Amino acid sequence: MAVTREQIVTRAIEHLNQAPAASMAEIAQAAGVHRATLHRHFATREELIIALGWRAHEAWQRVHDEIGLDTALRTGERVEETLHALLVAHIEVAEEHGFALTEHLVGINPELVRRAEELEAREIELIEACQRAGVLRADLPPRWVSNTVYGLLVAVRESLRRGDVARRDTPRLLLETFLRGTS
Amino acid sequence: MAVTREQIVTRAIEHLNQAPAASMAEIAQAAGVHRATLHRHFATREELIIALGWRAHEAWQRVHDEIGLDTALRTGERVEETLHALLVAHIEVAEEHGFALTEHLVGINPELVRRAEELEAREIELIEACQRAGVLRADLPPRWVSNTVYGLLVAVRESLRRGDVARRDTPRLLLETFLRGTS
DNA sequence: CGAATTTGCGACATTCATGTCGCATTCTAT
DNA sequence: ATAGAATGCGACATGAATGTCGCAAATTCG
């Protein structure tokens, strides 16, 4: 098998990141596969997009695993380090799977939405833990803080796309801006 | 004339805010006009989208006028108040014309892009003035700060869409988060 | 090596959005 | 009241994307 199903997903994500409205023919070409073959793997366009959505959510979950989010929530320790690690790790994921954040079908599929809510709920738990520990101010709604992270990731993405900032500066800028603001 | 051209633009914006991929037929219906009539006003879909883009940019310009951005830049006075006014005013505009921020054609049209760059340049000037005045920290690239505003507006939009925060709280949340961060 | 699976390829039908047109009707302004 | 302009309406042509199929070639695996 020259091109595996997993490779198709990867390359489709890459291409859709640059051309969010690409057709199946375009995606097939970018994946190095004939259009018919693409349809053999994913009967419909929707099926493909959903598969890409799952891939993105897997990467998201992996971030939670790698930074030890569960442990931090269970023990209530190292919440600050965990928060910082989460933010930085999000940059990588968002860069790779960013299109999933804006893709409409991903926000429609009930199972994907539920999965996203689960993942988001854990991050909100972390935010609340940080607020209790005095790491984050407690006068902001946790969900607003969570959405702030999302918005700042959009800013990172946009800044990189336009060449406003260097790739290596983004973790610092994100952390600084998120935690201490701009004034 | 039951429905003016301007009304069509207004209603099209409203509808596209909720259904960014709406067809011309859908837009016509939302505007209370026959599809053929819509095409008499705007020969192609692109023409319509561009018109909506101009409307959004007019509103943006009006914000600059109303807060006295020019005067602040010229005199170098009241930069802090002007910055705050700009942020709060952006909430309104973004809510109304937000779809233009993500609409692809708007980001492609050369004249609209140039106009957007002009407007953005003035805001960056304000940011730089604030940095010189000690209102904003000077160790963040002005363009990053500008993109941060954009990202936080996305967060506001998303928070309202999901019902995470009350409409009346958004100015405070935006200002607080932007200026002082979350910690 | 040989059978089985997979892929490339091109053709086809279908659906959907787009853009145009002619005609009857309605509205508007003088 | 009436001429001119704009609208509603339905029909039409066109093009693009989607999804399916059969067959030949290539790849994989036993």
Side-chain angles (χ1 to χ4, degrees), chain A residues 120 135-137 139-141 143-144 147-148 151 155 159 162 164 172-173 176-183, chain B residues 120 135-137 139-141 143-144 147 151 155-156 159 162 164 172-173 176-183:
Chain A
E120 204 179 341
V135 172
L136 293 180
R137 45 195 286 198
D139 63 334
L140 298 177
R143 289 183 179 278
W144 161 254
N147 287 336
T148 292
S159 296
R162 300 166 48 151
D164 287 342
R172 173 188 142 253
L173 291 173
E176 284 285 309
T177 308
F178 175 72
L179 295 174
R180 308 215 322 241
T182 58
S183 73
Chain B
E120 204 179 341
V135 173
L136 292 181
R137 45 193 287 197
D139 63 334
L140 297 177
R143 290 184 178 278
W144 162 254
N147 287 335
V156 167
S159 295
R162 301 166 44 152
D164 287 342
R172 173 188 141 255
L173 290 173
E176 284 285 310
T177 307
F178 175 72
L179 295 174
R180 308 216 324 242
T182 57
S183 72

Side-chain angles (χ1 to χ4, degrees), chain B:
Chain B
M1 229 183 277
V3 179
T4 71
R5 184 184 165 102
E6 291 308 302
Q7 282 177 314
I8 293 178
V9 170
T10 302
R11 295 176 188 177
I13 288 177
E14 285 170 11
H15 189 253
L16 284 173
N17 263 328
Q18 299 191 330
S23 68
M24 290 293 270
E26 230 179 297
I27 298 172
Q29 193 177 8
V33 149
H34 194 269
R35 195 167 68 90
T37 303
L38 180 60
H39 270 102
R40 285 186 192 109
H41 283 288
F42 310 94
T44 70
R45 186 179 209 279
E46 176 166 348
E47 205 176 307
L48 171 63
I49 301 294
I50 300 302
L52 307 193
W54 282 113
R55 164 72 71 87
H57 283 66
E58 285 163 16
W60 191 358
Q61 171 69 62
R62 207 171 309 123
V63 165
H64 285 193
D65 292 344
E66 284 169 7
I67 65 172
L69 177 56
D70 270 24
T71 310
L73 288 180
R74 204 171 340 101
T75 64
E77 286 170 8
R78 296 180 51 85
V79 291
E80 184 164 15
E81 294 87 339
T82 307
L83 176 66
H84 292 189
L86 178 63
L87 291 171
V88 174
H90 260 318
I91 294 180
E92 325 276 345
V93 182
E95 232 177 318
E96 242 179 290
H97 304 95
F99 95 97
L101 301 178
T102 57
E103 172 57 55
H104 196 232
L105 281 173
V106 174
I108 287 299
N109 184 271
E111 300 168 33
L112 274 178
V113 168
R114 196 154 42 78
R115 187 82 188 96
E117 281 170 1
E118 284 173 17
L119 291 162
E120 204 179 341
R122 304 194 71 70
E123 299 193 359
I124 290 176
E125 276 186 64
L126 178 64
I127 289 168
E128 288 167 336
C130 286
Q131 287 181 327
R132 281 192 302 272
V135 173
L136 292 181
R137 45 193 287 197
D139 63 334
L140 297 177
R143 290 184 178 278
W144 162 254
V145 177
S146 173
N147 287 335
T148 292
V149 173
Y150 171 76
L152 288 179
L153 286 173
V154 172
V156 167
R157 199 172 152 72
E158 189 69 6
S159 295
L160 287 174
R161 193 185 64 75
R162 301 166 44 152
D164 287 342
V165 304
R167 174 78 188 74
R168 52 175 294 131
D169 289 338
T170 55
R172 173 188 141 255
L173 290 173
L174 176 64
L175 277 177
E176 284 285 310
T177 307
F178 175 72
L179 295 174
R180 308 216 324 242
T182 57
S183 72

Side-chain angles (χ1 to χ4, degrees), chain A residues 14 112 180:
Chain A
E14 285 169 12
L112 274 179
R180 308 215 322 241

